[in-house]
């Protein structure tokens, strides 16, 4: 059972364009939704995260939109740059002490063409 | 602040051989995780430690995998014997208390031939 479903599997965007990656989750107990960025040969690194008490969170060119009723959240990358080319993973977890265990989506390979 | 350190970075072994991976978490991080990442997939949790106690090992294939975290700091993940399907990147991660984020190391890429 895949608890976090991510789409698309791959995405090609022109420099300056908007990249949008979507995720859906099943477990209504999840209350922490991070996005990780992974470059080849590196471990995933936290990019931005949101909790369900807000519908949107923005950090620079990166925005998470969250729809609790639909159990969906998405990552928007504005003004995409070639340096943003990487694999992006959404994840979800129940937060708080012993419940903290991230479940990851399968990833989206983003390519930003110059 | 030094990040999570893993070694070796790469390991190639023949099937049925043993292999071990080592992880040194960020100083002061009580919680340590081992994840496995298959090619083109997201990381999947194998085991989670709170200090030296394994609090979640439900996804660890216990017939061939073992892990330890002596003194609640460094950790070792072992596979014996390795199978072809074990080829993957093994990631270690750590976090502090409360709602702090997870920090990953760069992983060990295992190839079983």
């Amino acid at each position: 059972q895949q608890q976090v479903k991510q789409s698309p599997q791959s995405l090609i965007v022109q420099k300056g364009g908007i990249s949008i990656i979507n995720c859906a989750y099943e477990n209504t107990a999840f209350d922490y939704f991070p996005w990780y960025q992974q470059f080849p040969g590196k471990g995933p690194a936290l990019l931005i995260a949101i909790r369900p008490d807000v519908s949107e969170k923005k950090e620079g060119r990166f925005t998470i939109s969250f729809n609790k009723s639909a159990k969906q959240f998405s990552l928007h990358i504005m003004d995409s740059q070639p340096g943003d080319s990487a694999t992006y993973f959404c994840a979800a977890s129940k937060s708080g002490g012993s419940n903290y265990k991230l479940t990851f989506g399968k990833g989206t390979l983003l390519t930003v063409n110059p | 602040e030094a990040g999570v350190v893993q070694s070796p970075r790469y390991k190639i072994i023949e099937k049925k051989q043993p292999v071990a991976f080592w992880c040194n978490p960020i100083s002061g991080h009580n919680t340590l995780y081992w994840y496995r990442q298959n090619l083109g997939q997201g990381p999947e949790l194998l085991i989670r430690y709170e200090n030296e106690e394994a609090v979640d090992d439900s996804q660890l294939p216990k017939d061939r995998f073992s892990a330890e975290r002596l003194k609640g700091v460094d950790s070792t993940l072992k596979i014996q014997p390795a199978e072809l399907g074990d080829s993957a990147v093994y990631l270690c991660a750590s976090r502090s208390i409360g709602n702090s984020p997870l920090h990953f190391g760069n992983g060990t890429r295992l190839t079983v031939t």
Side-chain angles (χ1 to χ4, degrees), chain B residues 90-105:
Chain B
Y90 291 83
L91 293 164
C92 179
S94 69
R95 62 185 287 265
S96 185
I97 60 175
N99 293 324
S100 58
L102 211 58
H103 296 267
F104 283 89

Side-chain angles (χ1 to χ4, degrees), chain A residues 36 38 41 43 98 100-101, chain B residues 9 33 37 45 48 56 106:
Chain A
Y36 279 79
Q38 186 176 31
S98 61
Y100 192 99
K101 182 174 70 174
Chain B
R9 289 283 285 124
Y33 304 75
Q37 185 175 23
L45 180 68
R48 174 167 62 99
D56 185 352
N106 288 329

